[in-house]
C-alpha cells in the first residue's frame, strides 16, 4: 500500500508560477513511476507529466516548456514546477504512482496507476 499526499495548490494569477509537491509513504519510492494528472469537473482526468524510476520525464503537449517534474528519492517526493500559468491550467491536480515491474507503461493512461492522492486545487485567474 502506498499513500500519496499532494500539496501546494492555491489561487494564482495568469503568468505566475507555482510548485506542487507529492509526498509518498509505503513501499520503495525509488522503484516507482510517478505522474501528475489533472481534472476539471465534467471532464476526464488527464495526464500532465510523468517521471520514471531513472528520472526520464514526460509531458503533455499543453504544458511542455512550462512545467517541470522532478523527484527526490531521499525525501520520497515528486514535484511539479509550473511556470507561466494560464487560466486553462485551472484544475484539481492529482499525484499517481505505478508500482508494477513492467519495463514500460502507457504513462498517459490513468488506469496504469495503482494509487492516487486526494488532490490539490490549482486556480489560475486571468
Amino acid at each position: 500500500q502506498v499513500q500519496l499526499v499532494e500539496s501546494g495548490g492555491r489561487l494564482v494569477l495568469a503568468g505566475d508560477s507555482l510548485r506542487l509537491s507529492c509526498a509518498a509513504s509505503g513501499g520503495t519510492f525509488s522503484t516507482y513511476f510517478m505522474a501528475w494528472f489533472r481534472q476539471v469537473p465534467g471532464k476526464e482526468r488527464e495526464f500532465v507529466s510523468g517521471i520514471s524510476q531513472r528520472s526520464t520525464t514526460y509531458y503533455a503537449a499543453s504544458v511542455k516548456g512550462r512545467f517541470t517534474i522532478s523527484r527526490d528519492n531521499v525525501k520520497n517526493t515528486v514535484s511539479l514546477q509550473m511556470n507561466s500559468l494560464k487560466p486553462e491550467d485551472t484544475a484539481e491536480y492529482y499525484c499517481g504512482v505505478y508500482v508494477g515491474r513492467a519495463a514500460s507503461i502507457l504513462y498517459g493512461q490513468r488506469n496504469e496507476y495503482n494509487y492516487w492522492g486526494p488532490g490539490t486545487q490549482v486556480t489560475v485567474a486571468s
Side-chain angles (χ1 to χ4, degrees):
Q1 188 83 10
V2 177
Q3 292 80 42
L4 303 173
V5 179
E6 304 93 338
S7 63
R10 61 182 176 92
L11 172 65
V12 296
L13 296 176
D16 283 353
S17 297
L18 196 60
R19 187 175 183 88
L20 304 183
S21 291
C22 172
S25 59
T28 308
F29 180 80
S30 62
T31 67
Y32 300 154
F33 188 105
M34 304 296 298
W36 288 95
F37 280 66
R38 65 188 181 188
Q39 188 170 20
V40 297
K43 292 191 175 182
E44 293 290 316
R45 189 172 297 188
E46 66 172 9
F47 173 78
V48 175
S49 182
I51 186 165
S52 75
Q53 299 85 334
R54 296 186 177 186
S55 294
T56 301
T57 58
Y58 306 88
Y59 297 96
S62 59
V63 307
K64 197 168 187 178
R66 299 188 298 123
F67 291 10
T68 303
I69 191 171
S70 60
R71 67 188 298 157
D72 185 328
N73 290 336
V74 175
K75 295 181 179 179
N76 290 356
T77 59
V78 59
S79 297
L80 187 68
Q81 177 67 39
M82 305 187 294
N83 298 330
S84 303
L85 283 162
K86 304 176 181 180
E88 50 264 44
D89 294 317
T90 295
E92 188 82 9
Y93 282 70
Y94 297 91
C95 178
V97 60
Y98 170 75
V99 301
R101 298 184 178 185
S104 63
I105 65 169
L106 297 174
Y107 56 80
Q109 299 295 317
R110 63 170 293 184
N111 59 7
E112 289 281 80
Y113 297 87
N114 307 102
Y115 301 101
W116 295 92
T120 187
Q121 177 66 37
V122 173
T123 303
V124 184
S126 58

